[in-house]
Structure formats: structure tokens, C-alpha cells
Amino acid sequence: SFIASSATRSTVGFFAAFSFIPSQTQQKSNGFYKANPKLNPSRYPLPDASKASVRLLAAIQNNERIAIFGDYDADGITSVSILLRFFHECTPLRPGWKLPNRQTDHYDLDLVAAKKMVAEFQPTLVICIDNGTNAAEGV
């Protein structure tokens, strides 16, 4: 089909163009794709990420109910999908999840969305993906 052939041409074109990038740029990009832990010694570059990791591990070990609240944009949907895949492939847990409706819901985890999610899933842990930083009331 046209879509497949144009996608293939784009991919081939990208890799052909990439092969002509000067070696210094290739070295930098290789460093990005093949990260060296010695160059970034912090496993937790975000504030309180270690606390979040400990809490998540405890929820998994205790077989708690987890709910994931995402965002309706591309990175929000992708983030929820990746996290759900992690739970399905690496744990026995099957978290509930919600994405707001772009047409009818507010952005972020507001109080209405939080109450609906708690009523539906009764979670002991809510994970906000790609939102929640300004949702003090909902959280």
C-alpha cells in the first residue's frame, strides 16, 4: 500500500541520512543510546523518586489495588500503556486506569475524576502519569 511504502522510504531515508552524519555527532548519539551508568551516577534524578519506588514495590509485594490516571495526549496515553504493560508482564497486579475525555473532562486529576476513580477501583495507590503536579485537591 501507499502508506507502507512511503513509511519504508522514510525509514530508509532516515537511516541513509543518519549514516552521513559526522563522526562526532554519531559518537554523541551513540552515547545517548548506549548510556553509561558511570556518567549519570544518580539512579533517582527526580526529587523523591526513591520514595516513589519504595512505595510502588511495597504495593506490588502486598498485592494492593492500584489505579493509574493518565492524560489524554499522546505522551500520556503512551505512558499509561507502558506502565500497564509493565504490570501485566512483570507482576500479578492488574491496575485500573483512567484517561480523561478531552471534550468533557478537565485536564489533570481534579476532585471529580479522583472521586470517580476511587469509587470504581478502590485503590490504595494512585499513580498519576503525565499529570498530577498541579492537582493538589484531586490528589
Side-chain angles (χ1 to χ4, degrees), residues 48-98:
D48 293 332
S50 62
K51 292 178 185 177
S53 297
V54 168
R55 177 63 185 98
L56 180 58
L57 182 60
I60 292 168
Q61 290 173 335
N62 295 324
N63 209 24
E64 295 182 38
R65 284 192 207 106
I66 297 174
I68 302 167
F69 188 83
D71 187 18
Y72 48 67
D73 61 8
D75 58 325
I77 294 168
T78 303
S79 299
V80 170
S81 299
I82 291 169
L83 194 52
L84 285 171
R85 186 169 185 181
F86 161 76
F87 279 108
H88 283 256
E89 292 186 12
C90 300
T91 78
L93 303 180
R94 300 298 175 255
W97 57 276
K98 286 286 183 193

Side-chain angles (χ1 to χ4, degrees), residues 18 29 31-32 38 45 52 59-61 64 68 75 80 82 86 92 94 100 103 105 108 110 115 126 128:
F18 188 74
S29 64
F32 176 79
K38 292 178 184 175
I60 292 168
Q61 290 173 335
E64 295 182 38
I68 302 167
D75 58 325
V80 170
I82 291 169
F86 161 76
R94 300 298 175 255
Q103 305 300 321
D105 297 329
D108 232 337
D110 64 5
K115 285 181 179 182
V126 174
C128 292

